[in-house]
Amino acid sequence: RTSFYEQYGVICDVIQNHLTEILTFVAMETPANISDSEEIHRNKMKVYASLERLGKRSAVIGQYQAYNSEVRQELQKAAEYTSTIPTFAGGCTLH
């Protein structure tokens, strides 16, 4: 798993793929024909269009404390190797 995260990180792996898919299925209007992939796609796009964009000050990324030692051990990296891949992301709306 560490080699995958070193390539993609939390943004592409968890947020972009998994959480966005869950969000659309939870928030979209139920299609009249659940088997119609075009109707499902249209309903998902309505959800995307309605979302507020996060500003740079509304999101935070970070890295779990033990991640670098795991990367060095599992991927056999040198002791001075430091990963900059985010393993945590969160957001909030500031009003």
Side-chain angles (χ1 to χ4, degrees):
R1 186 85 179 147
T2 309
S3 61
F4 179 83
Y5 250 69
E6 274 301 286
Q7 189 172 5
Y8 296 102
V10 70
I11 305 294
C12 289
D13 178 36
V14 178
I15 296 175
Q16 181 180 328
N17 295 331
H18 305 299
L19 294 180
T20 305
E21 190 70 13
I22 291 168
L23 170 70
T24 57
F25 281 125
V26 169
M28 76 179 197
E29 194 173 306
T30 304
N33 180 356
I34 197 76
S35 299
D36 184 352
S37 61
E38 288 299 317
E39 188 176 357
I40 291 171
H41 178 73
R42 279 191 302 277
N43 289 357
K44 283 182 172 183
M45 296 312 291
K46 288 179 189 176
V47 171
Y48 291 137
S50 72
L51 294 176
E52 246 182 76
R53 295 199 183 274
L54 285 178
K56 288 183 180 183
R57 299 187 73 204
S58 301
V60 62
I61 58 172
Q63 188 180 83
Y64 291 109
Q65 190 172 7
Y67 183 72
N68 270 302
S69 62
E70 290 176 16
V71 169
R72 286 191 287 271
Q73 179 183 2
E74 291 179 29
L75 302 181
Q76 300 175 349
K77 299 285 186 181
E80 61 276 355
Y81 178 81
T82 301
S83 172
T84 58
I85 297 295
T87 59
F88 170 84
C92 64
T93 304
L94 303 174
H95 295 282

